[in-house]
Amino acid sequence: MSFMGFFPFRAADLAIDLGTANTVVYLKGHGIVLGEPSVVTLETINGIRRVRAVGDDAKLMLGKTPDNVETIRPLRHGVIADLEIAEEMLKHFIAKAKANAGVRLRGSPEIVLCVPSGSTVVERRAIRDAATNAGARKVWLIDEPMAAAIGADLPVTRPIGSMVVDIGGGSTEVGVLSVGGLAVTLSLRVGGDQMDDAIAAHVRRTHNLVIGEATAERIKFDIGAATISGEPRVAKIRGRDVVRGVPTEKQIEQEEIVEALGETVGQIVDGVRNALEMTAPEIAADIIEGGIVMTGGGSLLAGLDTVLSEATGLPVIRADDPLYCVARGAGRALEEMEYRGVLHAV
Ligand SMILES: Nc1ncnc2c1ncn2[C@@H]1O[C@H](COP(=O)(O)OP(=O)(O)OP(=O)(O)O)[C@@H](O)[C@H]1O
Ligand SMILES: [Mg+2]
């Protein structure tokens, strides 16, 4: 008999990072049990709209769906843009997370949700309502930079200052932490999505080729960089020729991509510099020692650590598993008494 058998009604307490690009779920006592794109595909048949696919399955359909099928990303810049669809997606992911964990957990759970530090009261209520409707008994919120810092093992509850830069799909958040609180926060509405858009715009302008967002993201994974180190690389791109209207394959140089991403990278660098200017000197002294810690999928862009380090004169470290840092930190806040103070009731 499993240990769980003694507690047949124990609820599945969860921490969820509902991100613009990806949703990550942490199950109390288990760790990360799900990480999938925040994408929903809807199908309309005889005037009735229903969910066709969610997450990984839905992302595969991006840009490839017929007229009666639409692919939706219910979050924009880290906050809910389409409440109804976000709720459907949340329900689906909660059920799947429990199935993935392979345990039978019943009852209504406590759920910790991660929110951008700059989100408004209205936005916080929207996410609370989505979680309540998805079956939560109690909803807690945690600021994303705080969750990211806990997930990256920074000493957030001690009198040691640290800086985290979480670069997501739709937003970048800079947080300066000390003694269990956020001393400085700065939110930018830029991230990986804007990098993909910049690549697509460049390819269209200079190669006369129309590509979709999935292709632009693939180019970013392949040869995307904030600066070139080593031999410059090339990638093959397939799209529709603007002039001739036919599918075409062309070659693209890494230097072109570095240039296309320059504006977004520059905005991130400026944001970090501004946050440093707002930081109290004693805390800044600690950051010189500990460096700037990057989390989020956008931090995986090659050379971003180098560029940020050169621009600030500080050491820059990429956290382990950057895509899971926020959810892992929120999960720890749920499990460990030391961090309980960073959770907010709504
Ligand atoms: N190897 C990589 N190189 C560059 N970018 C990457 C890499 N891997 C993932 N990304 C980008 O990271 C972004 C997703 O990161 P993440 O999952 O942290 O965002 P999110 O939490 O969903 O968004 P947000 O925090 O803005 O709500 C996407 O734009 C994705 O293209
Ligand atoms: Mg995020």
Side-chain angles (χ1 to χ4, degrees):
M1 187 189 197
S2 78
F3 182 68
M4 287 305 303
F6 291 110
F7 303 97
F9 297 111
R10 207 190 79 164
D13 292 338
L14 301 165
I16 303 175
D17 173 14
L18 195 60
T20 310
N22 296 294
T23 298
V24 183
V25 181
Y26 183 108
L27 176 63
K28 191 174 175 179
H30 289 257
I32 306 283
V33 289
L34 178 139
E36 292 199 31
S38 304
V39 182
V40 178
T41 311
L42 298 169
E43 181 176 50
T44 309
I45 295 171
N46 299 331
I48 298 166
R49 209 164 74 143
R50 65 168 197 97
V51 173
R52 163 87 181 259
V54 182
D56 285 326
D57 298 337
K59 192 169 183 183
L60 288 174
M61 300 180 193
L62 209 62
K64 294 187 182 175
T65 51
D67 281 349
N68 67 322
V69 178
E70 51 178 334
T71 309
I72 289 182
R73 294 176 57 186
L75 283 97
R76 282 280 156 233
H77 302 298
V79 299
I80 292 178
D82 188 325
L83 192 55
E84 200 186 328
I85 310 288
E87 229 168 80
E88 287 291 323
M89 186 174 80
L90 199 55
K91 280 180 192 157
H92 173 94
F93 283 143
I94 290 173
K96 191 162 180 188
K98 291 189 209 171
N100 286 352
V103 286
R104 276 201 313 191
L105 297 156
R106 284 182 275 182
S108 349
E110 278 189 71
I111 298 185
V112 177
L113 285 156
C114 309
V115 288
S117 57
S119 59
T120 65
V121 175
V122 173
E123 288 161 350
R124 284 167 190 250
R125 286 195 188 133
I127 199 163
R128 175 201 61 194
D129 293 346
T132 307
N133 292 339
R137 163 173 51 97
K138 172 87 194 136
V139 180
W140 300 95
L141 299 184
I142 182 169
D143 289 307
E144 269 163 14
M146 176 59 78
I150 297 172
D153 283 325
L154 295 178
V156 298
T157 55
R158 295 167 49 203
I160 301 172
S162 55
M163 177 179 268
V164 65
V165 184
D166 181 52
I167 306 161
S171 63
T172 292
E173 290 216 60
V174 189
V176 174
L177 306 105
S178 187
V179 212
L182 281 156
V184 175
T185 59
L186 192 144
S187 302
L188 304 166
R189 291 162 83 88
V190 304
D193 289 346
Q194 187 175 307
M195 296 183 197
D196 302 345
D197 291 346
I199 290 173
H202 169 85
V203 168
R204 186 181 180 126
R205 207 170 44 238
T206 54
H207 296 276
N208 286 329
L209 212 57
V210 183
I211 58 171
E213 58 183 291
T215 300
E217 189 181 45
R218 216 171 304 128
I219 297 170
K220 179 179 71 177
F221 292 162
D222 279 0
I223 61 166
T227 179
I228 293 182
S229 63
E231 276 298 294
R233 292 182 296 139
V234 294
K236 287 207 163 51
I237 38 169
R238 289 184 195 151
R240 180 167 50 82
D241 189 287
V242 179
V243 185
R244 297 179 297 134
V246 293
T248 310
E249 187 177 82
K250 288 190 177 167
Q251 184 163 296
I252 187 161
E253 314 274 334
Q254 193 171 30
E255 281 136 24
E256 300 173 53
I257 301 298
V258 170
E259 200 185 308
L261 299 183
E263 190 185 343
T264 310
V265 169
Q267 285 171 317
I268 294 169
V269 167
D270 288 346
V272 171
R273 277 191 171 142
N274 289 341
L276 283 167
E277 277 172 21
M278 293 187 268
T279 304
E282 292 299 327
I283 296 181
D286 291 339
I287 298 172
I288 294 173
E289 176 97 18
I292 297 169
V293 176
M294 295 196 298
T295 64
S299 74
L300 290 165
L301 185 73
L304 188 56
D305 46 354
T306 312
V307 169
L308 200 53
S309 179
E310 278 169 7
T312 57
L314 297 171
V316 175
I317 304 110
R318 186 183 292 112
D320 291 338
D321 282 341
L323 285 155
Y324 291 166
C325 268
V326 168
R328 190 168 54 225
R332 276 191 201 156
L334 182 67
E335 281 173 351
E336 296 171 30
M337 277 317 289
E338 180 189 354
Y339 299 120
R340 270 280 163 160
V342 305
L343 299 179
H344 309 292
V346 266

mmCIF file of all heavy atoms in Angstrom, residues 17-23 38 77-78 144 166-172 191-193 196 217 220-221 296-298 300-302 322-323, ligand 1:
data_model
loop_
_atom_site.group_PDB
_atom_site.id
_atom_site.type_symbol
_atom_site.label_atom_id
_atom_site.label_comp_id
_atom_site.label_asym_id
_atom_site.label_seq_id
_atom_site.Cartn_x
_atom_site.Cartn_y
_atom_site.Cartn_z
ATOM 1 N N ASP A 17 3.076 28.412 -12.660
ATOM 2 C CA ASP A 17 3.596 29.573 -13.381
ATOM 3 C C ASP A 17 2.844 29.633 -14.700
ATOM 4 O O ASP A 17 3.164 28.919 -15.645
ATOM 5 C CB ASP A 17 5.111 29.420 -13.600
ATOM 6 C CG ASP A 17 5.673 30.529 -14.489
ATOM 7 O OD1 ASP A 17 4.965 31.532 -14.710
ATOM 8 O OD2 ASP A 17 6.825 30.391 -14.943
ATOM 9 N N LEU A 18 1.805 30.460 -14.721
ATOM 10 C CA LEU A 18 0.990 30.615 -15.922
ATOM 11 C C LEU A 18 1.659 31.701 -16.763
ATOM 12 O O LEU A 18 1.400 32.883 -16.578
ATOM 13 C CB LEU A 18 -0.419 31.040 -15.465
ATOM 14 C CG LEU A 18 -1.588 30.955 -16.420
ATOM 15 C CD1 LEU A 18 -1.812 29.541 -16.911
ATOM 16 C CD2 LEU A 18 -2.855 31.458 -15.735
ATOM 17 N N GLY A 19 2.535 31.280 -17.654
ATOM 18 C CA GLY A 19 3.340 32.252 -18.405
ATOM 19 C C GLY A 19 2.763 32.561 -19.771
ATOM 20 O O GLY A 19 1.876 31.855 -20.263
ATOM 21 N N THR A 20 3.267 33.605 -20.385
ATOM 22 C CA THR A 20 2.818 34.001 -21.722
ATOM 23 C C THR A 20 3.147 32.912 -22.738
ATOM 24 O O THR A 20 2.361 32.624 -23.629
ATOM 25 C CB THR A 20 3.520 35.307 -22.153
ATOM 26 O OG1 THR A 20 3.380 36.260 -21.097
ATOM 27 C CG2 THR A 20 2.922 35.864 -23.406
ATOM 28 N N ALA A 21 4.306 32.304 -22.581
ATOM 29 C CA ALA A 21 4.744 31.273 -23.531
ATOM 30 C C ALA A 21 4.502 29.862 -23.002
ATOM 31 O O ALA A 21 4.056 28.981 -23.732
ATOM 32 C CB ALA A 21 6.222 31.454 -23.857
ATOM 33 N N ASN A 22 4.797 29.642 -21.706
ATOM 34 C CA ASN A 22 4.701 28.289 -21.149
ATOM 35 C C ASN A 22 4.038 28.286 -19.784
ATOM 36 O O ASN A 22 4.216 29.216 -19.003
ATOM 37 C CB ASN A 22 6.101 27.691 -20.977
ATOM 38 C CG ASN A 22 6.815 27.519 -22.302
ATOM 39 O OD1 ASN A 22 6.404 26.726 -23.135
ATOM 40 N ND2 ASN A 22 7.866 28.286 -22.513
ATOM 41 N N THR A 23 3.308 27.192 -19.508
ATOM 42 C CA THR A 23 2.761 26.978 -18.169
ATOM 43 C C THR A 23 3.547 25.844 -17.526
ATOM 44 O O THR A 23 3.781 24.807 -18.154
ATOM 45 C CB THR A 23 1.266 26.627 -18.240
ATOM 46 O OG1 THR A 23 0.574 27.727 -18.821
ATOM 47 C CG2 THR A 23 0.695 26.358 -16.852
ATOM 48 N N SER A 38 1.580 27.641 -23.381
ATOM 49 C CA SER A 38 0.288 28.235 -23.017
ATOM 50 C C SER A 38 -0.502 28.527 -24.292
ATOM 51 O O SER A 38 -0.689 29.687 -24.672
ATOM 52 C CB SER A 38 0.496 29.524 -22.235
ATOM 53 O OG SER A 38 1.302 29.307 -21.104
ATOM 54 N N HIS A 77 1.902 39.474 -22.383
ATOM 55 C CA HIS A 77 2.812 40.179 -21.467
ATOM 56 C C HIS A 77 2.651 39.725 -20.023
ATOM 57 O O HIS A 77 2.632 40.533 -19.096
ATOM 58 C CB HIS A 77 2.628 41.698 -21.588
ATOM 59 C CG HIS A 77 2.854 42.204 -22.979
ATOM 60 N ND1 HIS A 77 4.065 42.075 -23.612
ATOM 61 C CD2 HIS A 77 2.029 42.798 -23.865
ATOM 62 C CE1 HIS A 77 3.972 42.589 -24.835
ATOM 63 N NE2 HIS A 77 2.748 43.018 -25.009
ATOM 64 N N GLY A 78 2.448 38.425 -19.840
ATOM 65 C CA GLY A 78 2.418 37.864 -18.489
ATOM 66 C C GLY A 78 1.078 37.943 -17.776
ATOM 67 O O GLY A 78 0.943 37.428 -16.676
ATOM 68 N N GLU A 144 6.540 37.223 -9.466
ATOM 69 C CA GLU A 144 7.433 36.386 -10.283
ATOM 70 C C GLU A 144 8.925 36.546 -9.971
ATOM 71 O O GLU A 144 9.630 35.549 -9.875
ATOM 72 C CB GLU A 144 7.139 36.601 -11.769
ATOM 73 C CG GLU A 144 6.098 35.610 -12.243
ATOM 74 C CD GLU A 144 5.435 35.975 -13.557
ATOM 75 O OE1 GLU A 144 5.937 36.858 -14.269
ATOM 76 O OE2 GLU A 144 4.399 35.365 -13.868
ATOM 77 N N ASP A 166 14.322 37.912 -14.977
ATOM 78 C CA ASP A 166 13.535 36.816 -15.540
ATOM 79 C C ASP A 166 13.049 37.229 -16.924
ATOM 80 O O ASP A 166 12.224 38.132 -17.061
ATOM 81 C CB ASP A 166 12.354 36.503 -14.613
ATOM 82 C CG ASP A 166 11.502 35.356 -15.135
ATOM 83 O OD1 ASP A 166 12.076 34.284 -15.437
ATOM 84 O OD2 ASP A 166 10.279 35.523 -15.275
ATOM 85 N N ILE A 167 13.579 36.566 -17.945
ATOM 86 C CA ILE A 167 13.237 36.922 -19.323
ATOM 87 C C ILE A 167 12.296 35.866 -19.885
ATOM 88 O O ILE A 167 12.693 34.730 -20.134
ATOM 89 C CB ILE A 167 14.517 37.042 -20.187
ATOM 90 C CG1 ILE A 167 15.495 38.014 -19.513
ATOM 91 C CG2 ILE A 167 14.161 37.502 -21.599
ATOM 92 C CD1 ILE A 167 16.922 37.883 -19.999
ATOM 93 N N GLY A 168 11.025 36.225 -20.027
ATOM 94 C CA GLY A 168 10.015 35.269 -20.486
ATOM 95 C C GLY A 168 9.673 35.482 -21.944
ATOM 96 O O GLY A 168 10.442 36.069 -22.710
ATOM 97 N N GLY A 169 8.485 34.990 -22.332
ATOM 98 C CA GLY A 169 8.038 35.156 -23.700
ATOM 99 C C GLY A 169 7.525 36.567 -23.944
ATOM 100 O O GLY A 169 7.837 37.196 -24.946
ATOM 101 N N GLY A 170 6.724 37.064 -22.992
ATOM 102 C CA GLY A 170 6.080 38.352 -23.198
ATOM 103 C C GLY A 170 6.554 39.454 -22.281
ATOM 104 O O GLY A 170 6.123 40.598 -22.409
ATOM 105 N N SER A 171 7.415 39.125 -21.347
ATOM 106 C CA SER A 171 7.854 40.148 -20.408
ATOM 107 C C SER A 171 9.222 39.826 -19.834
ATOM 108 O O SER A 171 9.659 38.681 -19.837
ATOM 109 C CB SER A 171 6.844 40.282 -19.263
ATOM 110 O OG SER A 171 6.799 39.063 -18.536
ATOM 111 N N THR A 172 9.867 40.887 -19.368
ATOM 112 C CA THR A 172 11.132 40.731 -18.658
ATOM 113 C C THR A 172 10.958 41.438 -17.332
ATOM 114 O O THR A 172 10.478 42.573 -17.291
ATOM 115 C CB THR A 172 12.284 41.365 -19.449
ATOM 116 O OG1 THR A 172 12.482 40.593 -20.635
ATOM 117 C CG2 THR A 172 13.584 41.373 -18.648
ATOM 118 N N GLY A 191 10.381 40.414 -24.505
ATOM 119 C CA GLY A 191 10.857 39.075 -24.188
ATOM 120 C C GLY A 191 11.044 38.283 -25.462
ATOM 121 O O GLY A 191 11.256 38.858 -26.540
ATOM 122 N N GLY A 192 10.946 36.970 -25.356
ATOM 123 C CA GLY A 192 11.197 36.085 -26.491
ATOM 124 C C GLY A 192 10.260 36.302 -27.669
ATOM 125 O O GLY A 192 10.669 36.167 -28.824
ATOM 126 N N ASP A 193 8.992 36.661 -27.398
ATOM 127 C CA ASP A 193 8.037 36.899 -28.495
ATOM 128 C C ASP A 193 8.516 38.031 -29.392
ATOM 129 O O ASP A 193 8.438 37.950 -30.620
ATOM 130 C CB ASP A 193 6.659 37.308 -27.947
ATOM 131 C CG ASP A 193 5.938 36.157 -27.272
ATOM 132 O OD1 ASP A 193 6.375 35.002 -27.449
ATOM 133 O OD2 ASP A 193 4.943 36.420 -26.564
ATOM 134 N N ASP A 196 11.163 36.910 -31.686
ATOM 135 C CA ASP A 196 10.620 36.163 -32.826
ATOM 136 C C ASP A 196 10.050 37.128 -33.871
ATOM 137 O O ASP A 196 10.282 36.960 -35.075
ATOM 138 C CB ASP A 196 9.517 35.198 -32.378
ATOM 139 C CG ASP A 196 10.004 34.195 -31.333
ATOM 140 O OD1 ASP A 196 11.234 34.064 -31.171
ATOM 141 O OD2 ASP A 196 9.156 33.543 -30.699
ATOM 142 N N GLU A 217 10.785 31.359 -34.285
ATOM 143 C CA GLU A 217 11.309 30.866 -33.010
ATOM 144 C C GLU A 217 12.376 29.789 -33.252
ATOM 145 O O GLU A 217 13.403 29.760 -32.577
ATOM 146 C CB GLU A 217 10.178 30.309 -32.132
ATOM 147 C CG GLU A 217 10.644 29.992 -30.713
ATOM 148 C CD GLU A 217 9.553 29.418 -29.821
ATOM 149 O OE1 GLU A 217 8.802 28.522 -30.276
ATOM 150 O OE2 GLU A 217 9.462 29.839 -28.650
ATOM 151 N N LYS A 220 15.582 31.318 -34.047
ATOM 152 C CA LYS A 220 16.174 31.867 -32.814
ATOM 153 C C LYS A 220 16.878 30.759 -32.026
ATOM 154 O O LYS A 220 17.989 30.950 -31.533
ATOM 155 C CB LYS A 220 15.070 32.516 -31.982
ATOM 156 C CG LYS A 220 15.534 33.098 -30.657
ATOM 157 C CD LYS A 220 14.380 33.756 -29.901
ATOM 158 C CE LYS A 220 13.398 32.735 -29.360
ATOM 159 N NZ LYS A 220 12.311 33.335 -28.572
ATOM 160 N N PHE A 221 16.228 29.593 -31.913
ATOM 161 C CA PHE A 221 16.854 28.464 -31.196
ATOM 162 C C PHE A 221 18.143 28.030 -31.893
ATOM 163 O O PHE A 221 19.145 27.745 -31.258
ATOM 164 C CB PHE A 221 15.916 27.249 -31.137
ATOM 165 C CG PHE A 221 14.693 27.434 -30.287
ATOM 166 C CD1 PHE A 221 13.597 26.587 -30.438
ATOM 167 C CD2 PHE A 221 14.626 28.421 -29.318
ATOM 168 C CE1 PHE A 221 12.466 26.737 -29.649
ATOM 169 C CE2 PHE A 221 13.491 28.587 -28.521
ATOM 170 C CZ PHE A 221 12.412 27.734 -28.689
ATOM 171 N N GLY A 296 14.256 32.265 -16.785
ATOM 172 C CA GLY A 296 13.302 32.385 -17.892
ATOM 173 C C GLY A 296 13.906 31.883 -19.191
ATOM 174 O O GLY A 296 15.132 31.868 -19.361
ATOM 175 N N GLY A 297 13.029 31.460 -20.116
ATOM 176 C CA GLY A 297 13.496 30.894 -21.379
ATOM 177 C C GLY A 297 14.350 31.846 -22.188
ATOM 178 O O GLY A 297 15.294 31.429 -22.866
ATOM 179 N N GLY A 298 14.040 33.150 -22.124
ATOM 180 C CA GLY A 298 14.800 34.133 -22.892
ATOM 181 C C GLY A 298 16.258 34.214 -22.481
ATOM 182 O O GLY A 298 17.114 34.631 -23.260
ATOM 183 N N LEU A 300 18.161 31.874 -22.215
ATOM 184 C CA LEU A 300 18.917 30.855 -22.953
ATOM 185 C C LEU A 300 19.490 31.392 -24.266
ATOM 186 O O LEU A 300 20.251 30.694 -24.945
ATOM 187 C CB LEU A 300 18.027 29.636 -23.241
ATOM 188 C CG LEU A 300 17.666 28.789 -22.018
ATOM 189 C CD1 LEU A 300 16.499 27.853 -22.340
ATOM 190 C CD2 LEU A 300 18.873 27.982 -21.545
ATOM 191 N N LEU A 301 19.124 32.612 -24.634
ATOM 192 C CA LEU A 301 19.684 33.191 -25.852
ATOM 193 C C LEU A 301 21.210 33.239 -25.732
ATOM 194 O O LEU A 301 21.747 33.800 -24.775
ATOM 195 C CB LEU A 301 19.136 34.617 -26.071
ATOM 196 C CG LEU A 301 19.575 35.274 -27.379
ATOM 197 C CD1 LEU A 301 18.853 34.649 -28.578
ATOM 198 C CD2 LEU A 301 19.339 36.774 -27.344
ATOM 199 N N ALA A 302 21.883 32.673 -26.710
ATOM 200 C CA ALA A 302 23.352 32.594 -26.655
ATOM 201 C C ALA A 302 23.967 33.988 -26.549
ATOM 202 O O ALA A 302 23.526 34.924 -27.211
ATOM 203 C CB ALA A 302 23.867 31.886 -27.914
ATOM 204 N N PRO A 322 16.443 27.257 -16.394
ATOM 205 C CA PRO A 322 15.822 28.591 -16.304
ATOM 206 C C PRO A 322 14.321 28.612 -16.594
ATOM 207 O O PRO A 322 13.611 29.454 -16.055
ATOM 208 C CB PRO A 322 16.600 29.424 -17.331
ATOM 209 C CG PRO A 322 17.286 28.444 -18.212
ATOM 210 C CD PRO A 322 17.532 27.230 -17.396
ATOM 211 N N LEU A 323 13.843 27.668 -17.422
ATOM 212 C CA LEU A 323 12.408 27.654 -17.756
ATOM 213 C C LEU A 323 11.543 27.235 -16.563
ATOM 214 O O LEU A 323 10.338 27.479 -16.554
ATOM 215 C CB LEU A 323 12.152 26.705 -18.934
ATOM 216 C CG LEU A 323 12.585 27.211 -20.307
ATOM 217 C CD1 LEU A 323 12.867 26.068 -21.254
ATOM 218 C CD2 LEU A 323 11.516 28.122 -20.902
HETATM 219 N N1 LIG B 1 17.321 28.128 -26.283
HETATM 220 C C1 LIG B 1 16.617 29.261 -26.330
HETATM 221 N N2 LIG B 1 17.142 30.372 -26.887
HETATM 222 C C2 LIG B 1 16.434 31.512 -26.963
HETATM 223 N N3 LIG B 1 15.189 31.652 -26.482
HETATM 224 C C3 LIG B 1 14.622 30.579 -25.915
HETATM 225 C C4 LIG B 1 15.293 29.330 -25.787
HETATM 226 N N4 LIG B 1 14.462 28.444 -25.181
HETATM 227 C C5 LIG B 1 13.315 29.111 -24.935
HETATM 228 N N5 LIG B 1 13.395 30.385 -25.370
HETATM 229 C C6 LIG B 1 12.355 31.415 -25.340
HETATM 230 O O1 LIG B 1 11.920 31.618 -24.025
HETATM 231 C C7 LIG B 1 10.591 32.128 -24.062
HETATM 232 C C8 LIG B 1 9.744 31.390 -23.059
HETATM 233 O O2 LIG B 1 10.300 31.553 -21.785
HETATM 234 P P1 LIG B 1 9.409 31.312 -20.480
HETATM 235 O O3 LIG B 1 8.761 29.986 -20.538
HETATM 236 O O4 LIG B 1 10.276 31.624 -19.328
HETATM 237 O O5 LIG B 1 8.304 32.450 -20.687
HETATM 238 P P2 LIG B 1 6.927 32.639 -19.907
HETATM 239 O O6 LIG B 1 7.189 32.478 -18.458
HETATM 240 O O7 LIG B 1 5.893 31.770 -20.501
HETATM 241 O O8 LIG B 1 6.586 34.160 -20.268
HETATM 242 P P3 LIG B 1 6.307 35.405 -19.309
HETATM 243 O O9 LIG B 1 7.183 35.238 -18.104
HETATM 244 O O10 LIG B 1 6.669 36.595 -20.131
HETATM 245 O O11 LIG B 1 4.856 35.355 -19.012
HETATM 246 C C9 LIG B 1 10.077 31.924 -25.469
HETATM 247 O O12 LIG B 1 10.045 33.162 -26.136
HETATM 248 C C10 LIG B 1 11.106 30.994 -26.074
HETATM 249 O O13 LIG B 1 11.237 31.177 -27.481
#
